[in-house]
Amino acid sequence: MKSKPKSKTDKSRLRLLHQYYQFTGFYSFVWRAVKRSLPAIIAIVIAIYVINHFFDINAFLVELTETLPVYGVLGVFFASETLLGLIPPEMFIAWAGKLSDPWLYLGFLAFLSYFGGLLSYWIGYIITKIPSVHSYLETKMEKQLKNSKKWGGFLIIVGALLPLPFSISCIAAGIIEFPFKNVILYGSLRLARFAIYGLIIFNAL
């Protein structure tokens, strides 16, 4: 009996995956999440634009990396990657590219970002232990939490690879109590992101 062509098999798998996501409400869940997050994202962008109009944030960050010793810059980066990750990692990657051993320091940055995300997971987990937060999640967010636990791996992968705050994805994973061992696994893709971005940025410097 002849086996089916690989292309048809791949299409069948993609079709089944699409049907699964459609049936479980994944697409509608993502769309609702995007709609709910848009106002906050827009507000943050506007706030950054306004602040930057009166205070040059980029110049401050550049001066910070030029003034602080290496361990100071690494400390600031680790704090940022643990607490919401609002400072773009690319700026620190560019800083590493100007040092005598750029790939070594890029490795430090990658692992600090990774471990910062893992620490963020526990911050999110601890938040859920606050009685008022726990009560709200159990009563108002029960359905959303149930769906989020299904796709927690997707949440971590997106945060690890895309130019989005990895820390926020990990905090969210902690809030929904996504298995920590899976966060360790999926979050390791963060290391690959730094390697790719380092290759691009180092060649551009």
Side-chain angles (χ1 to χ4, degrees):
M1 184 176 177
K2 293 183 178 179
S3 60
K4 293 182 180 180
K6 185 177 180 181
S7 58
K8 289 185 178 180
T9 303
D10 292 340
K11 288 180 180 179
S12 297
R13 288 176 180 172
L14 288 174
R15 188 179 296 110
L16 288 172
L17 189 62
H18 167 68
Q19 290 174 348
Y20 168 75
Y21 284 147
Q22 195 173 38
F23 177 76
T24 56
F26 173 74
Y27 295 131
S28 59
F29 167 77
V30 171
W31 174 239
R32 286 196 302 270
V34 170
K35 286 197 299 183
R36 289 176 181 174
S37 62
L38 274 178
I41 294 173
I42 293 172
I44 291 172
V45 170
I46 293 174
I48 292 175
Y49 176 81
V50 172
I51 294 172
N52 195 54
H53 181 73
F54 297 100
F55 180 76
D56 194 337
I57 297 175
N58 289 331
F60 170 74
L61 292 175
V62 170
E63 183 179 354
L64 188 70
T65 57
E66 292 177 348
T67 304
L68 291 177
V70 170
Y71 64 85
V73 176
L74 293 176
V76 170
F77 176 72
F78 181 69
S80 172
E81 290 294 279
T82 303
L83 304 173
L84 302 182
L86 297 180
I87 302 179
E90 291 77 15
M91 188 202 71
F92 292 93
I93 295 175
W95 163 80
K98 298 176 182 178
L99 299 177
S100 57
D101 197 342
W103 287 102
L104 173 64
Y105 289 101
L106 179 69
F108 288 152
L109 292 175
F111 279 99
L112 286 174
S113 178
Y114 176 54
F115 289 116
L118 298 183
L119 183 57
S120 296
Y121 171 91
W122 292 109
I123 293 175
Y125 181 81
I126 291 171
I127 288 174
T128 63
K129 302 308 174 184
I130 300 173
S132 58
V133 175
H134 180 78
S135 177
Y136 177 79
L137 293 175
E138 289 293 322
T139 56
K140 303 292 186 181
M141 301 289 289
E142 182 180 1
K143 184 177 179 180
Q144 288 85 348
L145 286 174
K146 184 178 179 181
N147 287 333
S148 298
K149 288 177 182 179
K150 292 180 186 176
W151 308 305
F154 177 80
L155 179 71
I156 297 298
I157 291 172
V158 167
L161 291 178
L162 298 183
L164 300 170
F166 181 51
S167 172
I168 293 178
S169 295
C170 291
I171 289 175
I175 290 175
I176 65 177
E177 298 184 8
F178 187 68
F180 184 61
K181 62 180 181 180
N182 291 342
V183 176
I184 294 174
L185 176 62
Y186 296 134
S188 63
L189 291 172
R190 188 69 170 171
L191 305 178
R193 180 182 186 273
F194 271 76
I196 295 170
Y197 273 60
L199 189 62
I200 296 171
I201 293 175
F202 290 172
N203 287 328
L205 293 176

